[in-house]
């Protein structure tokens, strides 16, 4: 009886650790992506460009590496949460001998 009674807290710990970790990853990713330093804004000047120069804005970096890391953490947290939810929904309930009628 001690063996069966001591397993409930292990299942609770594992069952709660996965969604808490997934939620922490999502929150950390969103906070990291939102608070990441933005690149300097670029603008157009009111002068005639040179004839031999390129007409494009160059290579503006609109998404920094920190923002990419934040997006990656958020997506990883969502994938872990979806995996955990699929396991919880797809798990069959354990039947005892009393429930089966044996």
């Amino acid at each position: 009886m001690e063996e069966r009674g001591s397993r409930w807290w292990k299942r609770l710990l594992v069952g709660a650790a996965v969604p808490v970790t997934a939620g922490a990853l999502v929150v950390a990713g969103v906070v990291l992506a939102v608070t990441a330093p933005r690149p300097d804004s670029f603008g157009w000047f009111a002068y005639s460009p040179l004839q031999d120069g390129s007409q494009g804005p160059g290579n503006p970096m609109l998404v920094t590496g920190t923002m990419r890391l934040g997006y990656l953490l958020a997506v990883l947290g969502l994938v872990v949460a979806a995996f955990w939810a699929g396991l919880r929904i797809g798990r069959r309930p354990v039947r005892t001998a009393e429930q089966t009628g044996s």
Side-chain angles (χ1 to χ4, degrees):
M1 189 68 168
E2 179 65 34
E3 175 67 28
R4 185 177 177 105
S6 65
R7 286 183 17 202
W8 69 270
W9 66 270
K10 291 178 185 178
R11 286 193 329 204
L12 179 66
L13 181 65
V14 171
V18 173
V20 168
T21 303
L25 282 173
V26 170
V27 169
V30 168
V31 167
L32 192 61
V34 169
T35 61
R38 303 280 187 237
D40 293 334
S41 64
F42 59 92
W44 299 102
F45 296 98
Y47 66 88
S48 176
L50 300 173
Q51 295 296 331
D52 58 351
S54 65
Q55 302 295 324
N59 188 12
M61 189 175 189
L62 300 178
V63 179
T64 63
T66 308
M67 291 170 68
R68 287 184 189 140
L69 180 63
Y71 296 148
L72 178 71
L73 286 176
V75 168
L76 181 65
L78 290 173
V79 167
V80 169
F83 179 75
W84 177 81
L87 283 177
R88 294 288 292 175
I89 290 171
R91 184 177 295 158
R92 289 186 176 178
V94 178
R95 294 184 179 222
T96 62
E98 294 172 358
Q99 292 173 338
T100 58
S102 299

